Amino acid sequence: MKQPLGVILAGGQATRMGGGDKGLLRLGGQSLLDHVINRLAPQVSELALNANGDPARFATLGLPVLADSVAGFAGPLAGVLAGLDWAAEQGAESIVTAAADTPFFPCDLVPQLLLRGEGMVHPLVLAATPDEKRGTARHPTFGLWPVALREDLRAALNDGLRKVVLWTEKHEGREAVFPQEQAFFNVNTPDDLAQAEEML
């Protein structure tokens, strides 16, 4: 399987941060997006950013900015679809997504997702961590997504589907379990940002 493309999902509305772009918040002298780019770029062949609104605000990053093609903030699956459409134009087979507000995700995210997807006709794998109550907790903004299923995803979104797991389970998606529970710590509130500073 060819190396996947990487897509950073930054299309959310950041309501708990008072709106704006969470990815542009500063953490340890860099933006959250800088931290995410530094982790994901070495693991993928090319990188793009999924975000809505004026792309000029991300110009300094030097990345393609992909807007949702589904109207009305349809959630992370809309960002996945935008990434899959971009990957199809590049002739790629798959993408790996990462959230713009999660600066400490594993440096072996992509290889572990690819490993877990081996043997699948259309590799579809979500990252997960151990969870005492449920066994595992899935992190639906971190996943390996096949270009071959993009029209199925487009149809599902147009039918109103918004929950990532409902779609991945329909296609017998797998989980790649990462042991570090704090690896997917994400910054949703000002308190989270302060905690992330302590984790650096």
Side-chain angles (χ1 to χ4, degrees):
M1 188 176 181
K2 289 189 289 189
Q3 194 71 358
L5 304 184
V7 178
I8 299 169
L9 301 176
Q13 294 174 286
T15 48
R16 284 179 282 180
M17 271 291 187
D21 293 299
K22 272 196 293 185
L24 297 179
L25 294 171
R26 309 299 286 179
L27 173 66
Q30 292 183 299
S31 71
L32 283 175
L33 269 171
D34 287 330
H35 287 279
V36 173
I37 289 166
N38 291 342
R39 282 187 179 248
L40 191 56
Q43 303 186 52
V44 295
S45 58
E46 283 185 69
L47 201 52
L49 180 69
N50 161 241
N52 298 298
D54 184 1
R57 67 195 194 276
F58 300 111
T60 56
L61 299 175
L63 298 178
V65 179
L66 318 171
D68 294 350
S69 59
V70 180
F73 290 102
L77 281 176
V80 171
L81 179 61
L84 290 173
D85 285 341
W86 170 68
E89 291 169 9
Q90 314 296 315
E93 295 173 10
S94 61
I95 63 170
V96 167
T97 54
D101 61 358
T102 308
F104 309 118
F105 66 88
C107 293
D108 63 346
L109 175 75
V110 174
Q112 293 301 326
L113 291 172
L114 290 172
L115 194 64
R116 191 71 183 93
E118 282 184 358
M120 298 181 77
V121 177
H122 301 307
L124 179 59
V125 185
L126 293 182
T129 46
D131 182 276
E132 283 182 19
K133 292 178 184 171
R134 293 172 289 175
T136 57
R138 283 175 283 211
H139 302 281
T141 50
F142 289 83
L144 170 67
W145 311 87
V147 170
L149 292 179
R150 70 189 177 111
E151 295 307 333
D152 184 284
L153 177 56
R154 194 185 321 279
L157 282 164
N158 287 333
D159 284 344
L161 180 79
R162 297 293 178 262
K163 283 191 73 72
V164 173
V165 170
L166 287 179
W167 189 75
T168 58
E169 286 183 346
K170 175 186 158 190
H171 295 286
E172 299 181 348
R174 296 177 181 174
E175 293 179 3
V177 181
F178 293 85
Q180 320 93 308
E181 292 188 37
Q182 286 295 305
F184 296 95
F185 175 85
N186 64 320
V187 177
N188 283 319
T189 65
D191 286 348
D192 292 340
L193 189 61
Q195 188 176 336
E197 287 282 358
E198 293 173 10
M199 293 167 68
L200 282 175

